[in-house]
């Protein structure tokens, strides 16, 4: 019996908790809907007021048209600044302070707009003429402050975009260079090939110089001695070698050489004659 009562109590508690959660969720949803409706209503009301002010600037003349123009300029400047700051707040958290200043500035603008509405219904034209310059000067100060913040936020966003684009361009160029790695490899291969070819040519020249040298130097080379260097004065080519005259002079000397007279010469001539 006690267990059954405990189970009933737990079920009641769960039901009450579910009911409370449902009520809390319903209240939150209702508040969210009400806030959204209020926001849309405020936007619609401001849109209607802006359209009405624009119509007054075109349809009325005299002080009412001037007052409508001041109110329209004030409203347009504040709305434009708020849109710029709210749009940039997602990327730049420092714009939150600017939004706080704009909220305070908007409060002064609301007070001024109320005074302008009252003055718009003023039947005394002399009072309108006396009050309008002072109200216009206040409106210009508020408008200038809002425009200053809007222009600064736009310049800040433009600067950040330029810096980010510069960094991105550098990264893209680095990536492009990494993708073209074969160009660097081919250039290095060409340089090494040219070095090997020049080394082979230098080796061939050194070999020919050693062949054209004197017999003593050739014998030393055949015996395993160190090869002569370019500037140590050993194994340098002669003037005939440099001018290409060494081989013709040798052949000319062989042709002009006469056989020597002696027994060996006669002995060798006898058998050939026989």
């Amino acid at each position: 019996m006690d267990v059954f009562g405990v189970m009933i109590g737990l079920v009641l508690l769960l039901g009450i908790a579910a009911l409370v959660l449902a009520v809390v969720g319903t209240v939150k949803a209702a508040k969210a809907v009400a806030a959204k409706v209020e926001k849309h209503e405020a936007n619609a009301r401001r849109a209607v007021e802006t359209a009405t002010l624009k119509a007054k600037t075109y349809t009325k003349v005299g002080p009412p048209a001037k007052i409508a123009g001041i109110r329209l300029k004030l409203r347009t400047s504040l709305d434009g600044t708020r849109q710029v700051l709210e749009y940039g707040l997602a990327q730049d958290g420092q714009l939150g302070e600017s939004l706080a200043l704009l909220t305070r500035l908007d409060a002064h603008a609301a007070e001024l707009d109320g005074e302008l509405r009252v003055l718009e219904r003023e039947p005394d034209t002399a009072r309108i003429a006396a009050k309008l310059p002072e109200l216009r000067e206040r409106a210009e100060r508020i408008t200038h402050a809002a425009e200053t913040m809007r222009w600064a936020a736009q310049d800040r966003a433009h600067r950040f975009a330029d810096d980010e684009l510069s960094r991105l361009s550098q990264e893209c160029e680095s990536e492009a260079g990494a993708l073209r790695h074969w160009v660097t490899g081919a250039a290095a291969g060409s340089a090494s090939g040219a070095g090997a070819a020049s080394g082979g040519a230098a080796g061939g020249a050194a070999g020919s110089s050693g062949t054209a040298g004197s017999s003593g130097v050739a014998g030393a080379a055949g015996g395993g001695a160190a090869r002569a260097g370019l500037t140590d004065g050993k194994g340098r080519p002669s003037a005939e070698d440099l001018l290409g005259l060494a081989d013709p002079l040798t052949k000319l000397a062989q042709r002009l050489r006469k056989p020597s007279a002696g027994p060996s010469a006669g002995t060798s001539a006898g058998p050939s004659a026989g």
Side-chain angles (χ1 to χ4, degrees):
M1 189 67 181
D2 294 337
V3 175
F4 185 71
V6 170
M7 293 179 63
I8 293 176
L10 291 175
V11 170
L12 290 176
L13 288 176
L14 291 175
I16 293 173
L19 182 61
V20 170
L21 290 176
V23 171
V24 171
T26 303
V27 171
K28 288 185 177 180
K31 288 183 178 180
V33 171
K36 187 176 293 185
V37 170
E38 184 178 359
K39 181 179 179 180
H40 287 295
E41 182 181 358
N43 292 334
R45 184 170 58 253
R46 291 182 68 85
V48 171
E49 291 177 355
T50 302
T52 303
L53 291 175
K54 288 182 179 180
K56 287 181 178 180
T57 57
Y58 291 109
T59 58
K60 293 187 176 184
V61 294
K66 294 179 181 179
I67 294 174
I70 294 172
R71 293 180 59 195
L72 179 62
K73 184 178 180 181
L74 189 65
R75 188 182 301 268
T76 303
S77 178
L78 290 173
D79 287 342
T81 303
R82 184 174 296 278
Q83 290 177 4
V84 170
L85 295 180
E86 289 179 351
Y87 179 78
L89 185 60
Q91 291 80 20
D92 189 0
Q94 192 172 352
L95 295 181
E97 299 179 2
S98 302
L99 272 174
L101 291 176
L102 183 64
T103 301
R104 295 169 56 188
L105 193 64
D106 199 2
H108 287 278
E111 294 179 0
L112 179 59
D113 187 73
E115 295 182 16
L116 288 171
R117 281 202 305 268
V118 172
L119 188 64
E120 189 177 10
R121 293 188 288 269
E122 175 64 41
D124 189 358
T125 56
R127 181 170 178 78
I128 294 176
K131 294 286 295 182
L132 190 58
E134 186 266 336
L135 296 179
R136 181 186 290 111
E137 192 268 338
R138 285 173 55 190
E140 289 177 354
R141 289 172 59 187
I142 295 174
T143 301
H144 178 71
E147 289 176 347
T148 300
M149 285 195 297
R150 181 173 70 250
W151 296 336
Q154 291 173 348
D155 294 341
R156 181 181 177 86
H158 181 71
R159 178 62 181 271
F160 284 171
D162 285 344
D163 293 343
E164 179 64 22
L165 182 59
S166 299
R167 288 193 297 268
L168 183 59
S169 299
Q170 293 177 358
E171 292 176 2
C172 290
E173 290 178 0
S174 301
E175 182 65 20
L179 292 176
R180 292 194 184 97
H181 61 88
W182 67 86
V183 177
T184 305
S190 300
S192 62
S198 61
S208 61
S209 299
T211 304
S214 62
S215 59
V217 175
R227 298 178 62 183
L230 180 63
T231 59
D232 58 359
K234 298 178 181 180
R236 288 186 178 181
S238 62
E240 291 84 356
D241 293 333
L242 293 176
L243 295 175
L245 300 177
D247 194 23
L249 290 176
T250 303
K251 291 181 180 180
L252 181 59
Q254 291 176 356
R255 289 179 182 179
L256 296 177
R257 187 180 300 131
K258 294 180 179 181
S260 60
S264 62
T267 303
S268 60
S272 63

